[in-house]
Amino acid sequence: MAWNALRAAGPDMLIVRPAGGPEEMPPQRELLGSRVLTECGEERGTVLDAAFDPVTARIEAVLTTRGELPPDPLLGLGDHALVIRSGAAHHGV
């Protein structure tokens, strides 16, 4: 798979452009440096780093300025922020 075929990355999957699909790709989103917001719009820091399982490519944890997030509360990465479930608590905060 060519990296330019990558369309989106979520906590449990990667979405790729099908072979022979359109060449135009959506704007690239950067996880590092993204704001972290709950689905209700509450600020929860900024993403500093992320750990991925090398075999499955699933996110194992996201390190933020307010602590570490497990993968369960992650909803997705949008244009504006990494969005998490409202009930997500940071470890070590």
Side-chain angles (χ1 to χ4, degrees), residues 16-85:
V16 296
R17 178 175 41 87
E23 292 297 320
E24 185 176 317
M25 298 297 295
Q28 184 174 350
R29 296 184 176 115
E30 291 292 330
L31 177 62
L32 301 183
S34 293
R35 294 174 62 196
V36 180
L37 298 175
T38 68
E39 60 195 342
C40 296
E42 298 170 351
E43 177 98 28
R44 296 287 173 94
T46 303
V47 176
L48 299 174
D49 203 356
F52 294 87
D53 180 302
V55 175
T56 65
R58 290 184 179 187
I59 294 175
E60 293 180 334
V62 175
L63 179 62
T64 75
T65 53
R66 293 186 55 191
E68 186 176 301
L69 283 172
D72 297 337
L74 304 179
L75 293 175
L77 179 62
D79 292 334
H80 185 65
L82 174 65
V83 181
I84 61 173
R85 286 186 185 84

